[in-house]
Each structure stands twice: as structure tokens, then as C-alpha cells.
Amino acid sequence: MRLMVEFTTEPFELDTFPEHAAAARDVVDEAGLAVSVGPFGTGAEGEAAQVLAAVAKLLKETLDAGATRISVQVSVLGEEDGAP
């Protein structure tokens, strides 16, 4: 099964790239997920075990890096999303 995780970390900082946002991006990159960055959050997709492990690590590492809120949505990708 393939999953898509979408996440946003806060607080937002307009002058710099916050440490918690960098930590989140590092986690999904290291997990080998396909990543897309949007204006209000980041999406990443991969196999279920890969995504779920990354979500657990993402929560811990972004909180450790100063995030005060993390919004996460996980969706199952079906045939219409290009997955068998």
C-alpha cells in the first residue's frame, strides 16, 4: 500500500527557514520519500512502512527542534493516484 503524508510545522517564520522545518524536510528526504513542497505544507509519498516510520521520526525531531504545532494528514493512494 502506498501512502501520502502532508504536514505543516509551526511557528511560521518569514525571515528565516526555521530549524523545525529543516528537521522535517531532512526526515522525509532521508526516508527516501517522493517529496513535494507547497506554499502551506509539504507532501511526501511512499510505501506504507516507509511513510509511517518517517511520520514517527518527523514528529519527534520537529518537536525537538522547536515546533509548537505539527499538522499531519495521511492518505491512502489508490489506483486513481497512480498506485496499483
Side-chain angles (χ1 to χ4, degrees), residues 11-79:
F12 298 113
E13 296 176 24
L14 300 178
D15 296 332
T16 63
F17 193 66
E19 187 178 336
H20 56 82
R25 180 59 193 259
D26 288 346
V27 168
V28 294
D29 284 341
E30 290 170 7
L33 301 175
V35 178
S36 60
V37 179
F40 302 108
T42 301
E45 70 176 74
E47 292 302 315
Q50 186 182 25
V51 170
L52 295 173
V55 168
K57 185 174 180 183
L58 183 145
L59 293 172
K60 180 184 181 334
E61 292 195 13
T62 55
L63 289 170
D64 288 348
T68 57
R69 179 184 304 214
I70 306 157
S71 301
V72 177
Q73 177 175 309
V74 177
S75 302
V76 175
L77 296 178
E79 290 182 32

